[in-house]
Amino acid sequence: MRRTRLLTALLALAAGLLTGGPPAALAAESPRPAAVSADTYTWKNARVDGGGFVPGIVFNRSEKDLAYARTDIGGAYRWQEGTKSWTPLLDHVGWDDWGHTGVVSVASDAVDPDRVYAAVGTYTNDWDPGNGAVLRSADRGATWEKADLPFKLGGNMPGRGMGERLAVDPHDNDVLYLGAPSGHGLWRSTDAGVTWSEVTAFPNPGNYAQDPTDTSGYASDNQGIVWVTFDESTGTAGTPTKTVYVGVADKENAVYRSTDAGATWQRVAGQPTGYLAHKGVLDAENGYLYLAYSDTGGPYDGGKGRLYRYATGTGTWTDISPVAEADTYFGFSGLTVDRQHPGTVMATAYSSWWPDTQIYRSTDSGATWTQAWEYTSYPTRENRYTMDVSSSPWLTWGANPAPPEQTPKLGWMTEALEIDPFDSDRMMYGTGATIYGTENLTDWDDEGGKFAIEPMVRGLEETAVNDLAAPPSGAPLLSALGDIGGFRHTSLTEVPSMMFTSPNFTSTTSLDFAESNPDVVVRAGNLDAGPHIAFSTDNGANWFGGTDPAGVSGGGTVAAGADGKRFVWSPQGAGVHFTHGFGTSWQASSGIPAGAVVESDRVDPNTFYGFKSGKFYVSTDGGATFTASAATGLPAGDSVRFKALPGAKGDIWLAGGAADGPYGLWHSTDGGASFTELPNVEEADTVGFGKAAPGASYQTLYTSAKIAGVRGIFRSTDRGATWTRVNDDAHQWGWTGAAITGDPRVYGRVYVATNGRGIVYGDTAGTGPGPGPDPEPAGTCAVTYKVTNQWAGGFQADVRLTNTGTAAWRGWSLDWSFPGGQEVTQMWNAEHTRSGTVVTARNVGWNADVAPGASVSFGFTGSWSGTNAAPASFAMGDRVCGRA
């Protein structure tokens, strides 16, 4: 059950993303200006609910129901009490800053609850080419400003469950501290996160690395400063807190203290040694600093641990561990105090993988403990809790373990554990796959009582997506995911009942269906022991494992023949192979190198294609032999994805490249014998197909690409002659280079693979700019105005502007007045000015052209008081727009 997030980094590395800066376009001929318009899309997640590690949960200490969660690669979220769900906050992070989807710490300001901060950056080694940053928001994460740092941060590095490394002074909220990795020490801001400087007086930048011999720089990095905790009893409002405690990744010197607001620092005397302090949580009312120790940095490892209590007034250290050191096979973390009853403290055995994690609870400041489960007589367990995972049924993993294991598990990698500071009955904790919670926690303390645990994760989508398929019949979507394998989505708005099983891959790397027989599906993936290939004859509902050729070590890519009777597989560790039937006997293909990406023709069941190191390969005998095409000018590296068009033999689209060579989108209509590069696409990384636009005969193209100088998700209804951007600056999701596909049954619907934000899909508000009859004119423009989020004194709104005339716009300007004196504070996808009460929004460069019937969208945040009514009318020049 050890689910590693490192795989996603290695996949991205293989795709060429992590080797340097953003790749530059290199065209075979001088490109003509790209024809780009914009369309209004509604974006949602195909629901999985969770699917990744949640290393941090933070409750605001002064406002009820305000909480945040951080993920290692999938951004940060804010809790919505009304819907019991999470709202993503970092979807605006774009391609060039993809590393900022990894969140190493979150801090919520108790003085001004509207303020929230996130320390972002995914890797401290060269897998992430960018430095880290501290993001700051004055509207609870609706919008952000950024302070770049001169070093990297590691949201997906070893030790990421320790913390929190970012903290706001509870008395002077302009003061923040940030613990840095890699020997960069302790940093401080005195202007609410705008600027940062190193605290040079801090004496110890840490020295612990998980594996100092690791040449990749991943496990050999110094984990640095790991948490900051203020003693709020030592300050007054408006002046910096005097006493600050800091945790350091140093087994001999793990805890430091300043008693003069950070001017000087001393190692806390008498502290235990031989361990790392994962957490430091202070109970100012009773004068106790609690510390959770482990012998390693986690989140996977940890073989010994202790819990200690430090009396801040007397300097006395007390070992309050619930079990003897000799009986631990795990480290402690997940530390929390009940702020309503500070004598109540809880901690987790975060690295207890078998038979389960453990949670400990004390109501007397650690003098005595009870635990979430214990043995009556081995292997029989008595649980102090009940679990209901019916809202996320896949959390059982389809398992039927022998006692003392149970399914669902209480958890693993449980480094985040928080009791709601306003409600002693509510507790949330993060695992390697979800957030669990309870709303009757105090029943734990009743004799014979049980508290109820259920997933509290809706809205938080953290899967890393490796491949997607949208068959023409059966389930609308099949997915290949990291860590949890993948799903058959019969409904995009409901959590599937189970991931793919029989076998259950730790990560699925590739999947395909037979175009003329979509009930036949094949997937390849990674598994510690067992087959790396599986087949389904009922559209992915049920599976059976195939057999591996000799030497297979990983999933690689796999392709199904159009009729479902032949398969070609390019696994890791072995060369390309083919089979007739369901993989009981594989034969080596000839003429194609190992490691090639393979796909099938969607019409001819005997034709398969491959690509490797700038060469395109074709087989016409079911994959037995391949011949290198004479096509030239294709990307020299292996950062390439290609697909054959359904319904047209030999019609192939190829995307990919790198900064030091060809990088773009190519098209072949002769089965790969030759390719033509599209001159209006600067860079492209994925390509997919969907239902043709009304009146069009050719399927709709989708790509994650850079066109007209803008990175985004694009759609073309005319074979790539013109493009429409369908996402916007608020919906970018970092890196989207793994997979994309349209829906063959719904025009305009596109499914996008993200690296940590799950499967996102978009639907167009209209038919877009593609072929088809013009809409009935009702004026020159129409506007949809919608407030999407509102809080005390602030709000966020989306505007969709539609060209309802018969001529294209070559630029646009929209005017309105607010009836309640509202003011725009920030706008995206448009520029704005204000004259008196009139607000004017104007196009930016990439969305100036709007075809008849097409739409453009923009959004903004604003301030309000009294009422927040919508504008009465919108106008372009002297023409009032209709309301859509």
Side-chain angles (χ1 to χ4, degrees):
M1 298 287 251
R2 183 167 297 193
R3 311 285 171 177
T4 175
R5 311 296 288 169
L6 179 57
L7 173 66
T8 59
L10 299 178
L11 293 173
L13 180 61
L17 269 178
L18 307 180
T19 58
L26 188 61
E29 56 185 273
S30 298
R32 67 176 185 267
V36 179
S37 56
D39 192 8
T40 299
Y41 261 59
T42 299
W43 293 97
K44 300 177 181 178
N45 276 99
R47 283 186 63 192
V48 170
D49 286 14
F53 180 36
V54 181
I57 299 169
V58 175
F59 279 89
N60 186 276
R61 292 277 298 277
S62 63
E63 181 173 317
K64 183 176 173 57
D65 297 329
L66 179 58
Y68 297 88
R70 61 178 172 95
T71 69
D72 49 10
I73 64 172
Y77 293 79
R78 185 181 65 246
W79 177 252
Q80 301 282 12
E81 178 66 18
T83 57
K84 304 291 185 180
S85 65
W86 298 93
T87 293
L89 302 178
L90 298 184
D91 284 357
H92 70 278
V93 173
W95 180 276
D96 292 341
D97 292 327
W98 64 266
H100 291 176
T101 60
V103 184
V104 72
S105 191
V106 167
S108 181
D109 188 339
V111 178
D112 181 356
D114 285 341
R115 291 188 190 178
V116 63
Y117 301 85
V120 297
T122 301
Y123 299 103
T124 60
N125 62 354
D126 60 6
W127 295 348
D128 186 344
N131 281 341
V134 175
L135 307 182
R136 63 188 186 276
S137 174
D139 52 18
R140 305 178 185 224
T143 61
W144 298 87
E145 295 179 276
K146 181 174 67 173
D148 290 313
L149 297 171
F151 50 83
K152 298 173 184 287
L153 294 176
N156 199 33
M157 294 291 288
R160 60 192 178 273
M162 296 193 281
E164 291 290 317
R165 301 170 191 251
L166 184 65
V168 184
D169 192 314
H171 295 302
D172 183 352
N173 63 334
D174 284 340
V175 174
L176 292 92
Y177 285 91
L178 170 67
S182 314
H184 292 293
L186 182 66
W187 288 65
R188 179 169 52 210
S189 173
T190 58
D191 55 10
V194 177
T195 61
W196 292 83
S197 59
E198 186 176 1
V199 182
T200 56
F202 193 80
N204 187 352
N207 59 20
Y208 174 80
Q210 177 179 295
D211 179 5
T213 67
D214 177 22
T215 57
S216 75
Y218 179 76
S220 59
D221 187 50
N222 174 6
Q223 294 181 16
I225 312 298
V226 296
W227 52 263
V228 179
T229 296
F230 293 92
D231 184 346
E232 62 263 35
S233 70
T234 64
T236 57
T239 62
T241 301
K242 292 186 180 298
T243 299
V244 188
Y245 292 88
V246 171
V248 180
D250 179 343
K251 289 188 176 183
E252 302 305 309
N253 309 282
V255 185
Y256 286 78
R257 176 177 60 190
S258 173
T259 57
D260 52 15
T264 61
W265 299 84
Q266 300 81 35
R267 178 187 185 274
V268 178
Q271 65 183 273
T273 59
Y275 291 98
L276 301 174
H278 275 224
K279 309 280 185 181
V281 176
L282 196 136
D283 166 15
E285 182 173 321
N286 292 313
Y288 290 141
L289 175 67
Y290 294 97
L291 298 112
Y293 286 92
S294 175
D295 58 349
T296 68
Y300 308 112
D301 54 358
K304 291 292 180 182
R306 310 305 292 150
L307 292 177
Y308 271 83
R309 186 183 69 210
Y310 174 71
T312 59
T314 65
T316 302
W317 287 88
T318 304
D319 185 342
I320 59 170
S321 303
V323 293
E325 184 175 27
D327 294 333
T328 61
Y329 54 91
F330 48 79
F332 289 101
S333 191
L335 186 64
T336 186
V337 167
D338 184 345
R339 301 296 173 180
Q340 297 295 312
H341 304 281
T344 295
V345 59
M346 297 178 69
T348 65
Y350 77 93
S351 55
S352 175
W353 289 84
W354 189 93
D356 212 336
T357 198
Q358 185 63 274
I359 304 176
Y360 297 94
R361 178 175 171 90
S362 172
T363 57
D364 53 13
S365 301
T368 61
W369 296 86
T370 52
Q371 54 196 53
W373 62 270
E374 54 193 332
Y375 294 115
T376 51
S377 60
Y378 186 86
T380 303
R381 279 170 52 174
E382 175 73 22
N383 294 337
R384 200 178 290 266
Y385 61 88
T386 61
M387 291 191 79
D388 178 3
V389 297
S390 58
S391 63
S392 300
W394 60 266
L395 285 168
T396 66
W397 246 263
N400 186 27
E405 280 194 286
Q406 296 180 352
T407 187
K409 277 182 171 284
L410 184 60
W412 62 93
M413 296 164 60
T414 49
E415 294 225 60
L417 175 78
E418 293 294 330
I419 300 172
D420 186 333
F422 292 90
D423 184 353
S424 298
D425 269 321
R426 177 154 68 179
M427 177 263 286
M428 297 182 185
Y429 66 98
T431 78
T434 192
I435 295 176
Y436 282 122
T438 180
E439 293 187 332
N440 68 324
L441 177 62
T442 57
D443 286 358
W444 175 312
D445 304 321
D446 296 337
E447 184 68 30
K450 291 182 182 287
F451 66 101
I453 296 174
E454 62 181 357
M456 289 187 176
V457 73
R458 181 167 185 169
L460 192 153
E461 298 285 346
E462 204 200 343
T463 50
V465 186
N466 297 326
D467 203 1
L468 295 169
S473 61
L477 182 67
L478 307 172
S479 61
L481 305 180
D483 291 359
I484 58 172
F487 291 91
R488 178 179 189 258
H489 268 94
T490 57
S491 169
L492 302 177
T493 59
E494 298 178 3
V495 178
S497 60
M498 189 55 57
M499 72 275 283
F500 298 143
T501 59
S502 302
N504 185 336
F505 296 147
T506 53
S507 290
T508 300
T509 57
S510 176
L511 59 80
D512 194 16
F513 62 89
E515 189 66 41
S516 60
N517 184 11
D519 280 347
V520 175
V521 188
V522 61
R523 59 185 167 96
N526 302 328
L527 191 60
D528 293 337
H532 294 78
I533 192 86
F535 300 88
S536 172
T537 57
D538 57 7
N539 193 240
N542 296 281
W543 295 86
F544 55 92
T547 59
D548 289 0
V552 171
S553 59
T557 58
V558 67
D563 61 359
K565 298 178 180 179
R566 301 163 181 83
F567 301 89
V568 171
W569 185 21
S570 178
Q572 289 179 325
V576 177
H577 285 70
F578 72 99
T579 188
H580 291 225
F582 295 114
T584 57
S585 177
W586 294 92
Q587 300 179 63
S589 303
S590 63
I592 186 171
V597 177
V598 295
E599 296 283 355
S600 65
D601 191 87
R602 311 311 284 181
V603 175
D604 184 349
N606 291 309
T607 298
F608 291 83
Y609 307 108
F611 181 92
K612 175 71 174 177
S613 302
K615 286 288 187 180
F616 196 81
Y617 298 86
V618 181
S619 172
T620 58
D621 57 4
T625 60
F626 283 81
T627 302
S629 161
T632 60
L634 298 176
D638 295 324
S639 301
V640 166
R641 292 158 182 82
F642 70 91
K643 289 184 179 180
L645 187 78
K649 180 180 178 180
D651 194 320
I652 303 160
W653 292 81
L654 183 148
D660 56 355
Y663 193 177
L665 183 63
W666 287 261
H667 185 205
S668 174
T669 57
D670 55 12
S674 63
F675 282 86
T676 300
E677 184 177 2
L678 271 68
N680 59 2
V681 178
E682 296 155 60
E683 303 171 2
D685 291 270
T686 61
V687 65
F689 316 109
K691 184 177 181 179
S697 59
Y698 198 83
Q699 293 183 45
T700 302
L701 300 178
Y702 297 93
T703 181
S704 173
K706 184 178 182 180
I707 299 176
V710 176
R711 258 287 170 184
I713 307 300
F714 292 89
R715 180 189 73 206
S716 176
T717 58
D718 53 14
R719 307 188 189 205
T722 60
W723 295 93
T724 297
R725 188 188 185 201
V726 298
N727 72 320
D728 53 49
D729 290 352
H731 300 88
Q732 300 190 76
W733 316 289
W735 188 66
T736 53
I740 195 169
T741 185
D743 192 306
R745 291 171 265 187
V746 181
Y747 166 66
R749 177 171 292 174
V750 59
Y751 303 98
V752 179
T754 76
N755 187 42
R757 264 289 285 123
I759 307 162
V760 295
Y761 71 97
D763 284 313
T764 177
T767 59
D774 287 336
E776 290 296 322
T780 60
C781 55
V783 170
T784 299
Y785 175 89
K786 182 180 180 181
V787 173
T788 59
N789 194 8
Q790 184 170 299
W791 57 94
F795 71 104
Q796 180 176 333
D798 288 345
V799 180
R800 184 175 75 243
L801 173 62
T802 303
N803 181 353
T804 57
T806 58
W809 297 341
R810 304 302 179 198
W812 50 268
S813 176
L814 183 67
D815 300 327
W816 71 88
S817 294
F818 284 116
Q822 301 100 312
E823 294 187 5
V824 174
T825 55
Q826 184 176 357
M827 186 173 287
W828 52 91
N829 296 335
E831 298 176 346
H832 76 283
T833 57
R834 179 172 183 140
S835 177
T837 62
V838 177
V839 178
T840 300
R842 294 183 176 86
N843 64 274
V844 290
W846 61 266
N847 63 8
D849 295 342
V850 185
S855 300
V856 63
S857 63
F858 60 92
F860 63 88
T861 56
S863 61
W864 66 282
S865 61
T867 60
N868 189 25
S873 64
F874 295 83
M876 294 183 64
D878 59 357
R879 298 296 300 271
V880 175
C881 298
R883 301 302 288 267

